[in-house]
Amino acid sequence: MNRQTLTHPIRTQMFIDGRCAGSGDGRTFAVFDPATGDEIAQVPDATDADVDAAVFAARRAFEADTWRRLPPAARERLLLKLADLVEQHGDELAALETLNQGKLLGFSKMLEVGGSAQWLRYMAGWATKIEGSTVDLSLAFPPSVRYNASTRRVPVGVVAAIVPWNFPLLMAVWKIAPALACGCTVVLKPAEETPLTALRLAELAHEAGFPPGVFNVVTGRGETAGAALVRHPQIDKVTFTGSTEVGRIIGRQCASDLKRASLELGGKSPVIVLDDCDPRRAIEGAAGAIFFNHGQVCTAGSRLYVPRSRYDEIVGGIAQIARSTVLGSGFDAATQMGPLVSARHRDKVAGMIAQGRDEGGEIVAGGRASDRPGFFVEPTVIGNFDNRPLTVVAEEVFGPVLVAMPYDDVDEAIAAANASAYGLGASVWTSQLDRALRVIDGVEAGTVWVNTHNMVDPALPFGGFKASGIGREHGRAIIDAYTETKSVCIAY
Ligand code: NAD
């Protein structure tokens, strides 16, 4: 399979109010194949007026009785239909994702397409399970009056969903599926690097029968279209996944407007290897934790803490995997790691590796951008045996770059793991349950894995402590994210 698998022409128009749309002023920007650096499409560079049109379409669709007042089972049915369509067009969507994002085709199929179908079906199920409670009041007066009190969950309204480029289709579905299940309407803005699968998703949603305006997609730049969406007065809720830096900007705007906001932000997730671990499992697991999706994962295990006595063995094993990793196009079956998403990102990652070396880190494997065309960086292991305060230990790289540090006792490793602004994920590698539980108790992270890393599921709440975000996605938590509680009090 390759880009010729794209039996459908690449969709490059925005999707607003059930129709395709270009930008009001006709401007576009280029998107690229990161494996070659070639331009593959031009997409609209949305103006404020385009954002306005999309938000008003979503507002009209929200105010009409044709979405939020549908029987929940009707919303469920449409989401299930969309899941079916995503699967039916799975080969095409996977090829489009690999072409535009660069990830391995197998991961595009399994995670972007398979994961999206799974999330759509799981969230479809919540549509029929949103409920309130009855409440017995204590302060009822005057004594002759009785009260019947209850709560209802109502959709929060028009949602702006802004997503990053690392899992373009899946991140879009993480937002739209629960929002739509709860009866909200959505304007989605994909990342400027990777808009193509989101545009196709909107077309499939239209085919599934979603009413016009319920799900709109605008393409544009963060500082223009993204910012216009966030500050738009007709947006009730912003759900954002992206960098902590942009999350702070969006959080400030939402606080000022008193808009609801969910923020899924960056990470610097620790991988803590204990001395009783199965070494092969820990080495392969730690390598997978950082090199999966070329390190472009918010929970990437980018800080490795290893017992001093096993440092050479574990770090050497991971470095061996890094050195033997085959770089190439995600369409090539022999490829084990594809490109980074853009030239800009490749240069940023290579710059952070160089800074780590200049600050005293030891390059144990990799260490530079590849000479081949496209946006490749070698999988890199930086040894930090002296525990220096390297920038690459403190800041998110979002690339295939691991920093390894030794420790002498587990409490010291936990303290080092927690000495970070972030708190998204963490993993511990051990064969002893009680030792795993002590690390779980001590680590400050939204998700802690034991003998695995980066495992997510629609049923398991996901989100960050500290600068990794505010709020939780997935599981029952999505009801809180996309509904308001309305209390009802009836005197009789
Ligand atoms: P980014 O913050 O640069 O961009 C994310 C999105 O925000 C893009 O659509 C972009 O156009 C938009 N944007 C940029 N500036 C904006 C502004 N001023 N107003 C409104 N929107 C704006 O992030 P990225 O480089 O695309 O993605 C990588 C980041 O995403 C990493 O930090 C990673 O950890 C994070 N991430 C977090 C999670 C999570 O669930 N916590 C998941 C995936 C990625």
Side-chain angles (χ1 to χ4, degrees), residues 349-351 353-354 357 363-369 377-382 400-401:
V349 172
I353 297 170
R357 188 193 53 222
I363 304 294
V364 185
R368 55 187 197 98
V377 170
E378 295 172 348
T380 296
V381 178
I382 301 178
V401 182

Side-chain angles (χ1 to χ4, degrees), residues 344-365:
R344 189 167 67 116
H345 191 52
R346 173 198 59 198
D347 295 345
K348 178 197 154 192
V349 172
M352 288 190 77
I353 297 170
Q355 187 179 10
R357 188 193 53 222
D358 295 347
E359 291 173 352
E362 177 202 0
I363 304 294
V364 185

